[in-house]
């Protein structure tokens, strides 16, 4: 059979189209902590994990967007960095702090009324919410409320943390996330990427 023949090509394309259509349509937004504590190796690991997820679900014809966030230690402002393609990830630099609640609220507002079967919010962090005039129980309560608000809008939250969380923070976040996983070593996050893709597809079966 000539692999360049029209009937062969048409058949192959039709098979691929049918395979994609069997999967649920997902609207996925990935939010990555780019605070000062991620500088160096942790940031690179976060980028690799986010890139794998972005590429895998984009190839399945899903709406996938990738964002990074951080804050300064001199003002109550959160910076959201949208990377429209994987080529832009290399330009993302870490900054001092992280106001998680503000970042989560911003991304929640970006979820539109699309025709997606499921809306997935993937959050990747390092450490606890800490920034200028933002820390302790107040920052924890603010972050939990932001997660709660997203959940009230039928947004499914998958929360990943590198390095571990205090017991109070971990138990509080568990209440407002669909699933939560903590990695004590950064490289564990990268190894988890293919497992996560399969788990998410399995969980999101129509």
């Amino acid at each position: 059979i000539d692999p360049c023949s029209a009937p062969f090509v048409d058949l192959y394309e039709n098979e691929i189209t049918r395979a994609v259509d069997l999967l649920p349509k997902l609207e996925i937004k990935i939010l990555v902590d780019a605070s000062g504590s991620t500088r160096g190796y942790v940031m690179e690991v976060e980028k690799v994990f986010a890139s794998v997820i972005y590429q895998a679900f984009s190839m399945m014809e899903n709406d996938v967007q990738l964002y990074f966030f951080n804050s300064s230690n001199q003002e109550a402002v959160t910076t959201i960095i949208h990377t429209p393609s994987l080529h832009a990830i290399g330009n993302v630099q870490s900054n001092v702090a992280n106001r998680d609640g503000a970042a989560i609220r911003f991304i929640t507002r970006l979820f539109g009324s699309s025709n997606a079967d499921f809306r997935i919010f993937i959050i990747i962090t390092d450490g606890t919410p800490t920034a200028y005039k933002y820390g302790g129980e107040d920052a924890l309560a603010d972050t939990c409320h932001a997660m709660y608000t997203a959940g009230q809008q039928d947004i499914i939250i998958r929360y990943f943390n590198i390095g571990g969380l205090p017991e109070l923070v971990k138990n509080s976040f568990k209440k407002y996330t669909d699933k939560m996983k903590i990695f004590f070593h950064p490289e564990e996050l990268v190894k988890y990427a293919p497992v996560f893709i399969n788990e998410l597809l399995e969980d999101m079966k129509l």
Side-chain angles (χ1 to χ4, degrees):
I1 299 175
D2 180 5
C4 296
S5 64
F8 178 84
V9 173
D10 288 345
L11 174 63
Y12 177 77
E13 290 180 345
N14 288 338
E15 286 182 336
I16 292 299
T17 300
R18 285 199 298 272
V20 169
D21 287 344
L22 288 175
L23 298 173
K25 291 295 183 184
L26 307 178
E27 180 182 3
I28 299 176
K29 300 200 187 302
I30 307 169
L31 179 64
V32 183
D33 179 356
S35 60
S37 59
T38 68
R39 183 174 287 111
Y41 183 53
V42 172
M43 171 65 80
E44 295 310 310
V45 166
E46 288 182 331
K47 288 179 179 180
V48 170
F49 179 80
S51 297
V52 171
I53 302 305
Y54 180 96
Q55 189 164 10
F57 286 102
S58 293
M59 290 176 66
M60 298 176 202
E61 299 186 2
N62 292 298
D63 177 10
V64 187
Q65 299 294 327
L66 175 58
Y67 303 85
F68 292 78
F69 77 100
N70 53 41
S71 305
S72 75
N73 62 352
Q74 298 178 337
E75 55 184 353
V77 175
T78 296
T79 301
I80 306 292
I81 306 158
H82 180 218
T83 53
S85 71
L86 293 182
H87 299 292
I89 289 181
N91 297 325
V92 176
Q93 302 295 323
S94 58
N95 201 354
V96 178
N98 51 299
R99 303 176 68 87
D100 295 37
I104 292 170
R105 280 190 293 274
F106 181 90
I107 300 301
T108 297
R109 289 194 293 268
L110 296 180
F111 277 95
S113 55
S114 66
N115 61 350
D117 298 302
F118 300 101
R119 300 191 295 172
I120 315 296
F121 191 174
I122 301 170
I123 305 171
I124 307 165
T125 70
D126 161 69
T128 57
T130 307
Y132 174 74
K133 293 184 178 180
Y134 188 84
E137 292 185 3
D138 289 342
L140 173 59
D142 180 60
T143 303
C144 287
H145 185 268
M147 290 180 178
Y148 168 78
T149 301
Q152 290 296 106
Q153 299 178 35
D154 294 324
I155 296 171
I156 298 168
I157 298 178
R158 296 296 174 93
Y159 184 93
F160 303 124
N161 176 270
I162 300 174
L165 292 169
E167 200 66 20
L168 173 62
V169 177
K170 181 174 68 174
N171 291 336
S172 298
F173 285 177
K174 274 185 177 180
K175 297 176 183 177
Y176 304 106
T177 58
D178 177 63
K179 282 190 179 179
M180 176 180 177
K181 196 168 181 66
I182 294 176
F183 304 91
F184 293 99
H185 303 286
E187 56 272 15
E188 294 174 356
L189 179 66
V190 175
K191 293 178 182 178
Y192 179 64
V195 177
F196 170 66
I197 293 168
N198 288 328
E199 286 180 346
L200 187 60
L201 288 175
E202 184 68 24
D203 291 346
M204 299 301 118
K205 278 185 177 179
L206 295 175

